[in-house]
């Protein structure tokens, strides 16, 4: 059905093909201290650079920095794919809307990507939750499995919630990195 959310091949992001191949081989890139705010902003910029139609992707956060221990490129790929999926699903609603937020949640950061796509049936939502392969011609052929691999690689959790008025909310929970100096700017 056309209500599914899937990953698309990132045309202007050829490094993702290498990253996907490495993840399939279970090669784990080095994790470094990095700012999750910057990762989300980069994913949104990459999305806008690759999209023909300029779909607005509002980003809401009340934090200046969100330190994490991560492979920034992998996390960007994860968030970029969630944004692409949200954009594709929201287009089916006739009045596409999507957004991203980042907020502290205890000892973790919560990144939320939502869309106002169509209401999903139980069967469609189950397929989304357990998607292993993309069936779209332009897809990577990996479905959301690569996104889950990246989340697992970061000891993060990824959950999907069906919204009652239509659409889906994806929530990524990733550990916050404690810094000695809370005012320290990372990755400047």
């Amino acid at each position: 059905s056309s209500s599914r959310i899937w990953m698309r091949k990132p045309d202007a992001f050829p490094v993702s093909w290498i990253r996907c191949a490495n993840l399939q081989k279970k090669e784990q890139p080095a994790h470094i201290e990095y700012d999750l705010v910057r990762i989300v902003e980069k994913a949104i910029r990459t999305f806008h650079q690759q999209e023909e139609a300029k779909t607005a992707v509002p980003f809401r956060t009340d934090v200046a920095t969100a330190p994490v221990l991560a492979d920034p490129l992998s996390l960007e790929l994860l968030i970029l794919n969630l944004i692409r999926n949200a954009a594709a699903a929201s287009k089916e609603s006739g009045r596409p809307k999507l957004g991203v937020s980042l907020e502290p949640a205890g000892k973790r950061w919560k990144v939320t990507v939502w869309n106002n796509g169509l209401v999903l049936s139980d069967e469609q939502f189950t397929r989304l939750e357990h998607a292993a392969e993309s069936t779209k011609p332009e897809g990577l052929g990996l479905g959301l499995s690569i996104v889950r691999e990246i989340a697992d690689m970061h000891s993060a959790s990824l959950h999907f919630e069906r919204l009652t008025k239509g659409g889906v909310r994806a929530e990524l929970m990733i550990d916050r990195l404690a810094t000695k100096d809370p005012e320290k700017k990372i990755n400047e």
Side-chain angles (χ1 to χ4, degrees):
S1 171
S2 60
S3 298
R4 287 186 238 156
I5 298 176
W6 299 103
M7 294 182 358
R8 284 182 38 199
K9 179 184 92 191
D11 302 324
F13 201 54
V15 173
S16 67
W17 287 99
I18 297 165
R19 178 68 67 212
C20 289
N22 287 344
L23 287 170
Q24 283 186 306
K25 291 186 231 171
K26 306 292 187 223
E27 292 178 18
Q28 294 210 2
H31 289 130
I32 60 172
E33 182 176 335
Y34 212 83
D35 181 8
L36 189 55
V37 172
R38 290 189 59 202
I39 293 171
V40 172
E41 289 171 341
K42 177 89 169 48
I44 293 169
R45 275 194 311 276
T46 302
F47 172 76
H48 282 137
Q49 290 167 357
Q50 295 174 358
E51 291 302 305
E52 293 173 15
K54 298 297 178 199
T55 307
V57 183
F59 176 41
R60 184 187 58 75
T61 188
D62 293 329
V63 298
T65 60
V68 292
L69 193 60
D71 169 35
L73 185 58
S74 291
L75 267 189
E76 180 189 339
L77 179 61
L78 182 157
I79 294 165
L80 175 61
N81 276 294
L82 292 177
I83 292 169
R84 285 177 168 279
N85 295 341
S90 69
K91 285 179 184 172
E92 297 173 8
S93 73
R95 298 182 66 162
K97 289 185 183 176
L98 64 142
V100 181
S101 64
L102 168 64
E103 60 189 330
K107 293 184 178 186
R108 304 191 98 189
W109 295 109
K110 179 168 70 171
V111 177
T112 305
V113 179
W114 62 270
N115 70 71
N116 70 334
L118 302 176
V119 175
L120 298 181
S121 69
D122 290 342
E123 181 184 338
Q124 290 168 320
F125 188 71
T126 299
R127 279 197 307 254
L128 168 68
E129 277 278 281
H130 303 289
E133 293 185 359
S134 175
T135 57
K136 286 185 173 181
E138 72 277 9
L140 288 172
L142 300 169
L144 290 170
S145 65
I146 194 76
V147 170
R148 290 192 188 284
E149 286 263 347
I150 295 168
D152 289 347
M153 184 175 81
H154 289 86
S155 299
S157 61
L158 179 64
H159 299 283
F160 295 92
E161 179 185 348
R162 192 171 24 180
L163 303 177
T164 51
K165 293 185 179 182
V168 172
R169 177 183 305 127
E171 290 185 348
L172 175 72
M173 299 289 285
I174 186 168
D175 291 338
R176 294 169 70 172
L177 180 64
T179 57
K180 292 178 186 170
D181 179 3
E183 297 301 310
K184 177 184 172 189
K185 298 284 184 192
I186 55 179
N187 313 115
E188 287 188 340

